[in-house]
Amino acid sequence: MTDFAYAYARPSALEAGPEGQALLLSAFAENAADAAGTACFFRGRLRDSWLAARGLSTLAKVVAARFVPQSAVLRDPIVTAGAGQLRFEAFSSCNGVYARLDLGPEALDGEFLCSGTTNVDFNEPMVNALARISRTESVLLSVGEQEVVLERAAGRVTERKVALPERWIKGLTTVQAYLAQMEETLRLTRLQAVQLVQSLPAGAVRQDMFLVLRGPRPGFAAVASPGAVRVGGVHRLRLLEGLLPLCKTLRVYAAPSGQAAAFVLELGGGQQFVLALSADAWRGFSGEGNQLETLAEELPAEWVAGANALFRGNETFNPTLFALEHGLAPDTVDRLCASLSAMGLLGFDLLENQYFYRRLPFKTQRILSLNPRLKNARALLAAAEDVQLVSIGPEGRTEARVRGTGVWYTVLVGGPEPARCTCPWYSGHQGQRGPCKHVLAAQLRFVKQPSA
C-alpha cells in the first residue's frame, strides 16, 4: 500500500500564555518543502472550551479504537476551516467508525484568516492536556500556525512527522456517500440518549442489532421491526459514553440500504458531534465501494475541474438546489460529487443537508488509483474480447460474459433488478460492498448511462 506522507513544521500542542491556554494545530503539506509556507486559517477563543475539549477527547477516543485487532494504527484526524466553521474529522484505526466534531460560529470567538484543511496530531500529551481543561478555563484555538510547541512545567513536547494511508481518503469517499443518502429516523432526548447506551449488550456484539423505541425508552432488539434502525457492531456506540450525558438532543440517521447508521449529538452552543458506523465491526468504510457505479462513466475533465473551482469558492452547497440553479440533471450532480469526494474533497453535514468542501489537493488520478475495481474494469474494456454480449432480455436485462483469471464469469446488468455476477467477490458480498469489476465493465459497455 502506498501512503500519503504528511509533513509538519512543528507539533500540535496546548500552549500556556498570558491570555490563557492556546490549542495550536499544525498544518500539513503534501511535501516537506511546502510545509513552511502554510497560512494560518483560524485563531481565536473557544466560547465553551470545556465542552469542546470533551468533544475532542471523544474524537481522540475514536481515533485510538481498534475493533479489528490486526488493523494498523491511524492517529491523525483532520480539521477543515471554512464557511465560519471548524470541522474535526477522524476514523477509528480499523476504519469502521467515522467521527466529526463541528464547531460553528456560536462556538468560536475569533477570526478566519483563510479557508483550509490541515492534518492534526493527537499525541498523548495533547490528549492528556485536553482532559485537564476546566469548565472556566480560557483556551485559544489556532489552526495552521507555522510552529507549534507544547510548553508545560514538565517540559517541551515535540511531534513527529506522520504518514497517512490511502484508506483515509477512501473512507471519506464512502462515508459522505452514505451520509448523503441518510434520513432521520429517531430523535432522542438527553435522558433517552443515556438510556440507549445503558441498554447496550455486554461485550462485543457479533450479530446485527436493531434500535427501537419501546414506549418512551430506546433499546436494542435482535429482530428487525417496522421503523427499527439496523446497527452493526453496536458495542462501538460505547465510544459516546462520556459525551451523551452532555448532549441536548441525539438524532439517529440510517442509510436506506441498512449498510450504515449515524448518530448526531447536538451539544449546544454551536457544537455538534457525529458518529457513523459501518455495517459491521469488521468492515472498514474504505472497502465498501458504494460510489463505484456512480464513478463508472468518466465525466469530462473540465466539468470536474469547474465543479471543484465552484465548490471550493462556495464551501457549502445543497446538491438539489445546485442542480436546479445550474440546470443540471440530478444524476450529473451525483457524478460530479462522487468524482470530487473520491479525491477526499467533499464531506456531508446531516443537520444542514449539504456538502462541505475540504481544501485538499485536486488530483484526478486518485479517482482510479484509490478505486482498483474501477481501474480493472476499464482495463477489461480495453480488450474488446474480454467483455462479450450474450443476450438482451425483457426490460433491457442484459447477459454478458466477462473474462476472469483463467475463467469466464456470467454477468447480468440493466433492467429493474440488481446486477449479478458469478465471480467469488459477488458470491461473498452479494452486492453489499459495491459492484465487482466484471459488473462495472458490463455496465460500461452495455447499459446506457443517463444523459447530463
Side-chain angles (χ1 to χ4, degrees), residues 191-216:
L191 175 60
Q192 288 175 314
V194 174
Q195 290 173 337
L196 181 67
V197 172
Q198 291 174 343
S199 69
L200 286 171
V205 182
R206 296 185 180 277
Q207 74 272 25
D208 291 341
M209 300 295 289
F210 298 88
L211 173 56
V212 296
L213 279 178
R214 299 184 179 94

Side-chain angles (χ1 to χ4, degrees), residues 110-177:
E111 182 180 5
F112 283 88
L113 304 175
C114 63
S115 299
T117 298
T118 180
N119 212 53
V120 180
D121 177 61
F122 271 180
N123 47 38
E124 291 305 319
M126 171 68 76
V127 174
N128 293 337
L130 288 170
R132 289 194 291 271
I133 291 176
S134 67
R135 289 182 178 271
T136 59
E137 200 167 340
S138 177
V139 175
L140 297 175
L141 180 68
S142 179
V143 179
E145 290 287 335
Q146 293 302 304
E147 294 185 349
V148 182
V149 177
L150 180 63
E151 295 284 353
R152 301 181 60 240
R156 182 186 181 103
V157 179
T158 303
E159 175 190 311
R160 56 179 173 78
K161 294 181 180 180
V162 297
L164 196 61
E166 292 177 349
R167 62 193 177 100
W168 182 77
I169 289 183
K170 293 173 69 176
L172 291 174
T173 302
T174 298
V175 165
Q176 74 82 16

